[in-house]
Amino acid sequence: MPVEFLGIAATNDGSETTPRSGAAFDKEYTLRLARAHEDHGWDRVLFAYGSGSPDPAPAAAYVASRLDRLQILLAHRPNVSYPTFAAKTFATLDRISEGRLTVHFITGGNDHEQGREGDTLTKDERYARTREYIRIVKKIWTTHEPFDHEGEYYCFHDFVSDVFPVQQPRPQVSFGGSSPAAYEAGGAEADVYCLWGEPLARTAEQIENVKAAAKAAGRADVPRIQVAFRPIIAPTEELAWEKAHRTVGAIRERREAGLVRHHRGGAPENAGSQRLIAIAEAGERYDRALWTPTAAATGGAGNSNALVGTPETVAQALLDYYDLGVDILSARGYDLLGDAIDFGRHVIPIVREEVARRDAERVARGTRNLAAVGE
């Protein structure tokens, strides 16, 4: 099966290890970083969402209007706009990008972060709202006659959009989460289900949970699986591990100095972060190259488990996840621009070549089997 690579479309050069050098929305850097992804073999980039961050939708439109091939993954929280408005925004962006948009719906795993923009629903209520929201957006994208909606969270009448996506029947929907409520919602509605990087055995368990949720929802298909990592690569294993320890030191130093804004409270509320912390507490190294101190240093914040090693080692580790059924590999370094270029030059070609070889062998085996049956 084909493999895709997802990078990050940051709007400035700051990261967990480095303060940004300019404004929160640095137009030149945003385009430079996106172009580096397009020029070095990446398929799409994520425009993330934060309560105080630059609005990702116009940033995505800016990049899409200037690049020809790079696809867009736009993160969106249902609490920040009505679904009728959001559906038009997404359709317009799909028009600007000429059909390169996927929308990633974020339910929100932290009450304090949600409250920063006035969202006071409980976690279970947020998942129910997200599910209703996605269904409305899908219907707006595909319905050319006015319709009414009276649901638990949204009510409107006689609505029809005058702007429709380029992609038919609609753009794809991406969704993530590691709780039973997340599996249920995403298994029912998502085209792509997103997971944070965990050990292989635990990732396999999550994939089975997603498949079971899709089946329970009555789907004949299942979502594609995406898994996210923070690769730390260098020409030798020794240099890669030295770089990894420097990276963790920089993360801890910035957090201890209060230079990284994070959610209030003690233990994280969302299941994904809780899982990352539990994995880190159980051990530092897993499988071929998974390393957890980066996740521990951030308190399990988001995509934070690393893959450490030479490009060959990290590529083989990614192929281990591909063998589980993961066909979208998300990666983001700590030096956003430099790491995107290095990963694109040195890791992506290895993975693509090996996937192509395996796919060719699979086709050849299938052909031989058919020939044997016909004898």
Side-chain angles (χ1 to χ4, degrees):
M1 61 183 176
V3 65
E4 297 182 7
F5 287 91
L6 169 70
I8 190 70
T11 58
N12 61 71
D13 59 359
S15 76
E16 296 95 329
T17 62
T18 309
R20 73 181 189 226
S21 61
F25 180 58
D26 181 333
K27 187 169 70 171
E28 287 72 25
Y29 182 84
T30 300
L31 182 57
R32 185 182 177 194
L33 179 62
R35 182 169 285 125
H37 283 85
E38 182 171 85
D39 291 344
H40 290 89
W42 298 79
D43 296 286
R44 61 169 55 85
V45 289
L46 166 66
F47 285 82
Y49 190 92
S51 59
S53 301
D55 187 349
Y62 167 68
V63 166
S65 67
R66 285 159 176 79
L67 299 181
D68 298 323
R69 300 184 307 278
L70 193 66
Q71 298 177 58
I72 303 300
L73 178 60
L74 178 69
H76 180 76
R77 287 183 185 167
N79 61 292
V80 299
S81 69
Y82 215 71
T84 50
F85 175 85
K88 293 184 296 180
T89 299
F90 303 147
T92 303
L93 181 52
D94 198 54
R95 287 278 159 187
I96 292 171
S97 66
E98 298 181 325
R100 288 178 280 152
L101 176 70
T102 299
V103 181
H104 180 66
F105 289 93
I106 302 173
T107 297
N110 181 278
D111 290 344
H112 180 71
E113 168 66 6
Q114 294 299 122
R116 284 171 172 158
E117 293 189 282
D119 189 4
T120 59
L121 297 185
T122 66
K123 183 178 178 179
D124 286 346
E125 289 171 335
R126 292 199 297 267
Y127 273 112
R129 177 184 61 190
T130 299
R131 194 164 176 176
E132 182 179 341
Y133 196 99
I134 292 173
R135 288 174 173 172
I136 293 170
V137 169
K138 287 179 178 178
K139 187 169 183 179
I140 292 171
W141 281 341
T142 57
T143 301
H144 292 258
E145 298 295 331
F147 69 95
D148 300 339
H149 177 85
E150 294 186 7
E152 184 177 0
Y153 297 95
Y154 302 102
C155 179
F156 54 86
H157 301 96
D158 196 40
F159 180 83
V160 62
S161 178
D162 195 33
V163 55
F164 291 90
V166 170
Q167 297 177 77
Q168 293 299 314
R170 57 171 177 78
Q172 291 206 321
V173 166
S174 171
F175 189 90
S178 297
S179 67
Y183 297 139
E184 181 180 357
E189 300 297 337
D191 302 298
V192 177
Y193 200 98
C194 306
L195 303 170
W196 290 333
E198 295 187 4
L200 290 164
R202 297 192 63 154
T203 300
E205 291 172 0
Q206 291 211 75
I207 292 172
E208 291 306 311
N209 288 335
V210 173
K211 290 180 177 178
K215 183 177 180 180
R219 291 178 60 167
D221 63 340
V222 295
R224 298 172 65 196
I225 302 296
Q226 172 186 305
V227 177
F229 303 96
R230 305 301 294 273
I232 300 175
I233 62 172
T236 68
E237 295 292 328
E238 181 180 6
L239 289 174
W241 285 105
E242 289 177 1
K243 182 178 179 181
H245 288 289
R246 287 198 308 271
T247 298
V248 166
I251 293 171
R252 290 171 177 162
E253 182 178 342
R254 284 180 54 74
R255 286 179 67 87
E256 289 168 1
L259 299 175
V260 179
R261 189 181 189 197
H262 52 86
H263 306 317
R264 294 178 184 172
E269 299 169 14
N270 64 304
S273 292
Q274 291 169 3
R275 290 173 66 97
L276 294 186
I277 291 174
I279 291 166
E281 290 175 345
E284 287 193 358
R285 296 180 66 170
Y286 292 85
D287 304 320
R288 194 186 300 267
L290 190 73
W291 195 54
T292 65
T294 46
T298 63
N303 168 25
S304 51
N305 268 338
L307 292 176
V308 182
T310 64
E312 293 77 13
T313 295
V314 171
Q316 290 302 319
L318 292 169
L319 287 162
D320 291 338
Y321 288 89
Y322 174 82
D323 288 339
L324 292 181
V326 176
D327 66 342
I328 303 175
L329 299 168
S330 174
R332 171 164 56 105
Y334 293 93
D335 170 8
L336 299 179
L337 181 61
D339 287 346
I341 293 170
D342 286 346
F343 189 89
R345 284 176 174 168
H346 303 299
V347 178
I348 289 178
I350 297 174
V351 176
R352 289 202 193 280
E353 182 178 354
E354 179 60 20
V355 166
R357 186 188 68 79
R358 294 181 186 187
D359 286 349
E361 287 184 352
R362 191 177 299 111
V363 170
R365 284 196 302 270
T367 301
R368 289 194 298 269
N369 291 338
L370 286 173
V373 170
E375 291 176 353

